[in-house]
Amino acid sequence: LRSCNMPPPKDSELIPDILEQEPQMPNLTANTIIIDGCPVVGPAKTKLLKNVLMKKFSAMGEIIYEHLPIDAKEQTEGYMFIAYDTPEMAAKAVKEMNNLALDKTHTLVVSSLSDYKKSISVSKEWVAPEKKAYHDVGNL
């Protein structure tokens, strides 16, 4: 019998061979793009919109995951996530598909998920830049 003061054993101590077989979720941050500016459509046009976007973006490389968010009213939310097989394919999609005119009223803004994560992790405290001395260069 164990004393009540001892902590229970860890899973890694009890079943290390099973934990080694546990699937690991790959980090797809560099492979994922965000497509903003998608049309907001209802359920009748959602499938068509998804097919159009997938056709355009599959030309950039093999897509392994896609998600077109739907709100409580069953309308698209105006953006889409796509994960490519490699980070290079995602970078190509950002470079070539950013500012793509989908139609007369919708221009797609494409950015990488890693850039988005950088932009939201900026420090909330502003630090003033160091003031530099003025150097007069004379007349040009």
Side-chain angles (χ1 to χ4, degrees):
L1 292 175
R2 280 204 268 160
S3 168
C4 292
N5 295 337
M6 289 183 64
K10 296 180 181 175
D11 287 345
S12 59
E13 295 170 356
L14 293 175
I15 50 171
D17 54 333
I18 294 174
L19 289 177
E20 285 178 18
Q21 298 172 12
E22 182 178 15
Q24 299 296 318
M25 184 67 172
N27 183 353
L28 296 176
T29 302
N31 300 34
T32 305
I33 62 170
I34 304 168
I35 305 162
D36 199 13
C38 298
V40 175
V41 298
K45 293 188 178 182
T46 300
K47 188 174 181 179
L48 176 64
L49 173 62
K50 192 176 201 177
N51 289 341
V52 167
L53 292 171
M54 291 299 291
K55 183 175 181 181
K56 290 189 178 296
F57 282 89
S58 64
M60 300 295 111
E62 182 183 352
I63 295 173
I64 58 173
Y65 175 79
E66 47 77 20
H67 179 63
L68 183 63
I70 308 291
D71 65 14
K73 296 178 184 175
E74 295 188 12
Q75 291 187 320
T76 60
E77 293 191 1
Y79 59 93
M80 183 177 189
F81 296 98
I82 291 180
Y84 286 95
D85 193 36
T86 66
E88 293 79 20
M89 291 175 190
K92 180 181 177 185
V94 169
K95 183 178 178 183
E96 294 184 19
M97 302 298 275
N98 190 32
N99 293 318
L100 174 74
L102 187 63
D103 58 28
K104 291 180 183 178
T105 58
H106 296 95
T107 300
L108 303 178
V109 177
V110 182
S111 58
S112 70
L113 184 59
S114 54
D115 287 347
Y116 174 75
K117 285 190 172 193
K118 287 178 199 172
S119 69
I120 62 170
S121 64
V122 175
S123 174
K124 297 204 185 300
E125 292 183 30
W126 182 75
V127 178
E130 182 180 316
K131 192 169 188 174
K132 296 181 181 179
Y134 172 73
H135 297 299
D136 188 6
V137 293
N139 292 334
L140 299 175

